[in-house]
Amino acid sequence: MKLRTVADVMTAKVVTVTAKTPFKDIAETLIAGGISAVPVVDDDGHVVGMVSEADLLRKEEFREQFYREGYRPPLRARLRHPKGKEKATGDTAGELMTSPPITVSPQASAVSAARLMDAHDVKRLAVVDAAGRLAGIVSRRDLIKVFLRGDDDIAAEVREDVLDRGLWVDTSGVTVNVRHGVVTLSGQMDRRTETSIAVRMTGRIDGVVDVIDELTWKHDDSKWEAR
């Protein structure tokens, strides 16, 4: 069973800026490329930060405060972006960027990338090689591509990689049906613990949205497993 990696879904051709890139040039880069963030790299291609639309909007967000109109960002915004006011005064990528950047390896699984995004509350990750140089960028949208696999493709992998090769038991009585990424396993196996393993392994396959367990068993060996 081969899990999709970041390299399988990332965008390899990435527009970048340097720390000296002016504010307006960054804005033009984002708009022209139809992107929401851009990596900041040094002369050797190492990723030193990330500038997003949100970073640029700090200047507008704090504009009223600059003009002494009494604006104060809500507490949640101040907690999530403690350097908001500092970024609002920035004029270059180096002053605006979020650093250090959250990065991921091309060999990392798509699942681990999704967990990393969630842990750091970011929408994208810079993908870097072993030397820290930019290899691509992966976004939430890229990770959703994992779920675009066809039902027939998913069913074939469940049958071949899980049932035929992964379990080492007789699975001839198991039927696999896939609809919109939801896998239904039905039929009968010899032991209850084997059905549980089949369901867990199926759920780990890329593109599987959910697993419906309709399997039955001849022998309930779960009580022995608990011991």
Side-chain angles (χ1 to χ4, degrees):
M1 182 164 32
K2 182 182 182 297
L3 292 177
R4 294 279 187 94
T5 66
V6 169
D8 293 328
V9 296
M10 73 179 188
T11 299
K13 294 182 179 179
V14 183
V15 178
T16 64
V17 296
T18 69
K20 295 181 180 179
T21 302
F23 182 103
K24 286 194 173 182
D25 288 354
I26 300 169
E28 290 174 357
T29 298
L30 295 179
I31 293 172
I35 53 180
S36 60
V38 62
V40 184
V41 299
D42 63 17
D43 294 339
D44 294 322
H46 297 102
V47 182
V48 296
M50 186 82 73
V51 178
S52 68
E53 293 171 329
D55 294 323
L56 300 188
L57 287 173
R58 296 286 175 262
K59 192 173 290 291
E60 189 65 28
E61 179 182 1
F62 283 84
R63 187 179 299 280
E64 290 180 275
Q65 186 169 320
F66 291 154
Y67 286 99
R68 299 183 181 180
E69 295 181 7
Y71 171 74
R72 183 172 174 77
L75 177 60
R76 185 173 64 175
R78 298 199 305 272
L79 291 175
R80 290 184 62 188
H81 307 288
K83 296 183 179 180
K85 185 175 180 180
E86 179 183 329
K87 288 188 178 185
T89 63
D91 296 321
T92 64
E95 296 167 337
L96 294 160
M97 69 183 183
T98 297
S99 181
I102 309 301
T103 64
V104 68
S105 163
Q107 290 75 42
S109 69
V111 171
S112 64
R115 290 174 178 168
L116 193 59
M117 287 184 193
D118 183 62
H120 293 275
D121 193 26
V122 295
K123 298 179 180 179
R124 66 202 63 79
L125 301 170
V127 185
V128 299
D129 62 19
R133 293 186 177 87
L134 184 68
I137 193 166
V138 62
S139 67
R140 290 177 177 175
R141 179 174 296 181
D142 293 326
L143 295 179
I144 291 175
K145 294 175 184 176
V146 171
F147 293 99
L148 298 182
R149 296 183 68 187
D151 289 345
D152 290 343
D153 189 23
I154 294 173
E157 185 168 347
V158 173
R159 170 53 66 185
E160 295 169 9
D161 289 359
V162 175
L163 300 178
D164 292 347
R165 291 199 293 265
L167 291 176
W168 294 83
V169 296
D170 181 16
T171 59
S172 59
V174 178
T175 300
V176 180
N177 288 301
V178 185
R179 181 174 175 80
H180 301 310
V182 178
V183 181
T184 300
L185 297 177
S186 58
Q188 189 175 68
M189 297 179 69
D190 188 52
R191 300 177 183 276
R192 184 174 185 176
T193 54
E194 294 168 356
T195 66
S196 298
I197 295 171
V199 170
R200 287 200 302 269
M201 291 181 68
T202 298
R204 294 171 185 162
I205 289 179
D206 285 334
V208 172
V209 176
D210 197 6
V211 182
I212 298 175
D213 179 8
E214 296 182 352
L215 292 168
T216 60
W217 53 88
K218 298 176 183 177
H219 306 289
D220 186 356
D221 61 335
S222 57
K223 57 184 178 181
W224 300 108
E225 184 183 59
R227 291 181 181 181

